[in-house]
């Protein structure tokens, strides 16, 4: 894996596709253990755009029926969280009385999932589970329980595997971290 350049910044290899896939295998098994054979059909809520690749990989590993819905949120500008979560595309259809599994690419400050969980509960969800591919535990300081975490990472800005820097970099199958050298 070589370094990549997006706009003014250079990123160096951080997690290979194989490492990501193994982490997804493990988290998918935990979700299967909770839902397989239970008869309930949960809603998978893909938080666009960053979660597209993770959500696809996760779905391939799921051994129970689920419905897919998407929502588009935005809180980052460049490499920084703005603290304000904007809804760019809302939810269609009812989630009343349903179990919703939120599929996030990464939890950083947690502002996004705190706001999203409350909004889903306000819309009548019976139960909201949070599944994230990545977590920055050094930054996350909220009380919302993260039910399924594929991998913990240090506090640094990353791109690839769906994650972007000003909309570029989502297509890389490996994950890269900002190179400050
Ligand atoms: P939070 O609201 O938890 O601070 O941030 C969550 C959202 O910020 C993620 O869904 C993602 O879109 C974005 N984000 C947080 N950390 C990173 C990062 O290291 N790289 C990229 N590309 N996006 C990030």
């Amino acid at each position: 894996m070589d370094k990549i350049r997006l706009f003014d910044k250079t990123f160096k290899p951080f997690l290979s596709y194989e490492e990501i896939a193994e982490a997804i295998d493990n988290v998918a098994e935990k979700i299967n253990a909770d839902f397989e054979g239970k008869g309930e059909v949960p809603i998978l809520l893909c938080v666009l755009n960053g979660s597209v690749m993770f959500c696809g990989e996760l779905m391939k590993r799921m051994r129970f029926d689920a419905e897919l819905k998407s929502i588009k949120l935005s809180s980052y500008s460049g490499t920084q969280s703005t603290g304000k979560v904007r809804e760019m595309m809302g939810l269609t259809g009812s989630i009343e009385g349903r179990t919703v599994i939120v599929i996030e690419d990464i939890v950083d400050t947690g502002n996004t999932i705190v706001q999203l969980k409350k909004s889903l509960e306000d819309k009548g969800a019976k139960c909201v589970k949070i599944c994230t591919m990545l977590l920055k535990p050094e930054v996350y300081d909220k009380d919302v329980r993260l039910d399924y975490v594929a991998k913990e990472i240090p506090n640094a800005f990353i791109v690839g595997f769906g994650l972007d820097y000003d909309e570029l970099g989502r297509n890389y199958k490996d994950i890269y971290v900002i190179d400050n050298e």
Side-chain angles (χ1 to χ4, degrees):
M1 281 162 71
D2 296 323
K3 289 185 181 182
I4 59 170
R5 189 146 179 96
L6 301 171
F7 298 115
D8 56 331
K9 300 207 179 336
T10 305
F11 297 83
K12 57 187 178 190
F14 179 59
L15 290 172
S16 69
Y17 174 72
E18 289 69 28
E19 289 172 286
I20 302 164
E22 193 184 332
I24 300 176
D25 285 343
N26 294 335
V27 84
E29 280 315 312
K30 292 194 182 115
I31 300 175
N32 279 325
D34 288 349
F35 288 92
E36 190 178 9
K38 303 282 159 67
E40 189 185 7
V41 178
I43 292 170
L44 303 181
L45 184 60
C46 177
V47 184
L48 298 174
N49 288 328
S51 302
V52 274
M53 278 204 200
F54 175 48
C55 193
E57 292 280 341
L58 205 54
M59 285 175 72
K60 289 193 276 184
R61 292 161 170 82
M62 286 181 173
R63 296 190 299 268
F64 56 90
D65 291 330
E67 282 174 35
L68 177 65
K69 286 186 188 288
S70 301
I71 189 171
K72 188 168 178 183
L73 303 177
S74 176
S75 69
Y76 251 61
S77 175
T79 64
Q80 291 293 318
S81 171
T82 61
K84 290 194 194 73
V85 184
R86 288 179 301 153
E87 189 176 293
M88 321 294 282
M89 186 188 94
L91 203 57
T92 52
S94 169
I95 57 165
E96 183 88 45
R98 304 289 298 275
T99 292
V100 179
I101 310 175
V102 173
I103 314 290
E104 257 287 24
D105 51 355
I106 183 163
V107 173
D108 181 16
T109 62
N111 289 328
T112 305
I113 50 139
V114 167
Q115 187 167 315
L116 179 56
K117 188 169 183 187
K118 185 174 179 307
S119 138
L120 296 170
E121 284 166 353
D122 289 348
K123 290 186 172 83
K126 178 179 76 175
C127 170
V128 178
K129 301 263 190 197
I130 310 290
C131 172
T132 185
M133 175 169 70
L134 302 167
L135 167 67
K136 295 181 186 170
E138 292 159 33
V139 193
Y140 183 65
D141 60 357
K142 306 294 189 294
D143 294 329
V144 168
R145 185 184 141 82
L146 305 175
D147 303 273
Y148 311 106
V149 177
K151 205 164 183 68
E152 295 190 349
I153 62 164
N155 181 23
F157 186 75
I158 55 152
V159 294
F161 208 81
L163 289 142
D164 73 308
Y165 169 45
D166 278 348
E167 297 302 331
L168 294 191
R170 296 191 195 276
N171 54 305
Y172 289 92
K173 77 178 177 33
D174 307 294
I175 292 180
Y176 297 79
V177 66
I178 198 156
D179 188 2
N180 292 318
E181 281 153 29

